Amino acid sequence: MSSRDSRGFIIWLTGLPGSGKTTLARALAARLSEPMRVEVLDGDEVRQTLSVDLGYSRQDRDRQVARLGYIARLLARNGVAVIVAAVSPYNEARERERLHAHESDIPFLEVHLDADLPSLIERDTKGHYRRALDGRLPGFTGVTDPYGPPLHPDFRLRTTSEPLATGLQVIGDALIARGLVPSIVACLAAYL
């Protein structure tokens, strides 16, 4: 199967800030790029370009998710494997994007990167968690603003205790099982 004939799909990585979404997205994209076209839509990067008009209210966060979903569907309809890496804190918004993908006949996998708060605080190089806990960063997801973990994700990866290679293997196996990639096993095996 050539990349031109590949069927596009969406992998939606969600989790608290610092849970490893961007790291997993970039590693997965590197492994998938050999057999197909891949794009990573990083929530932070999209906020700095297409969503500079948005704040952090629930309505604005939902708009951000809708924008990411729309772009992801456009790309996936054109045979691109799309990896969205965004906190996307509300179940309802993520479920709407799953529904829109389903209505467009685009495979959609939701992956929850689950990490405990003490680990996130420990590995927080920007100091966001400490500032939020001290009351100096209002509206921070997981501390002063809610995060709704997916109720029924396709996969839940415990990034506090599972290595990156485990996440890559789980997602790679699922893509192969669903017939979405030609043979990612060889690509992933070189990195495991």
Side-chain angles (χ1 to χ4, degrees):
M1 176 188 315
S2 73
S3 63
R4 187 170 292 239
D5 301 325
S6 296
R7 181 175 182 198
F9 55 85
I10 299 169
I11 299 172
W12 197 286
L13 305 178
T14 180
L16 289 170
S19 60
K21 297 176 298 298
T22 299
T23 301
L24 178 59
R26 298 213 184 287
L28 186 58
R31 281 129 186 98
L32 286 173
S33 65
E34 204 43 49
M36 62 193 322
R37 294 176 298 162
V38 182
E39 288 294 335
V40 172
L41 297 177
D42 184 273
D44 290 339
E45 291 176 3
V46 171
R47 265 195 181 278
Q48 294 170 8
T49 55
L50 298 175
S51 295
V52 293
D53 60 318
L54 299 179
Y56 290 91
S57 68
R58 181 172 183 136
Q59 184 179 21
D60 281 353
R61 290 174 194 250
D62 284 350
R63 281 188 185 131
Q64 168 76 345
V65 168
R67 288 177 185 181
L68 288 165
Y70 178 75
I71 297 165
R73 287 191 307 280
L74 285 177
L75 290 167
R77 280 196 316 240
N78 287 286
V80 176
V82 182
I83 305 164
V84 177
V87 173
S88 44
Y90 307 116
N91 276 309
E92 297 85 3
R94 291 191 309 267
E95 284 303 314
R96 270 193 301 274
E97 293 315 310
R98 180 190 292 272
L99 178 63
H100 292 318
H102 178 73
E103 290 170 347
S104 299
D105 196 32
I106 297 169
F108 184 100
L109 294 173
E110 182 181 42
V111 182
H112 177 213
L113 279 65
D114 189 6
D116 61 67
L117 191 57
S119 296
L120 292 171
I121 293 168
E122 184 178 313
R123 66 182 176 198
D124 178 23
T125 57
K126 297 177 184 175
H128 292 322
Y129 279 98
R130 294 214 186 275
R131 287 200 312 280
L133 289 166
D134 292 343
R136 294 179 286 137
L137 187 58
F140 188 73
T141 305
V143 178
T144 54
D145 203 62
Y147 174 77
L151 302 175
H152 306 289
D154 293 283
F155 301 101
R156 188 176 316 276
L157 303 174
R158 306 214 186 296
T159 60
T160 302
S161 58
E162 295 174 337
L164 177 64
T166 299
L168 291 171
Q169 190 66 52
V170 166
I171 295 169
D173 289 348
L175 294 174
I176 292 168
R178 289 174 170 89
L180 297 173
V181 294
S183 179
I184 192 170
V185 173
C187 298
L188 289 176
Y191 298 96
L192 299 178

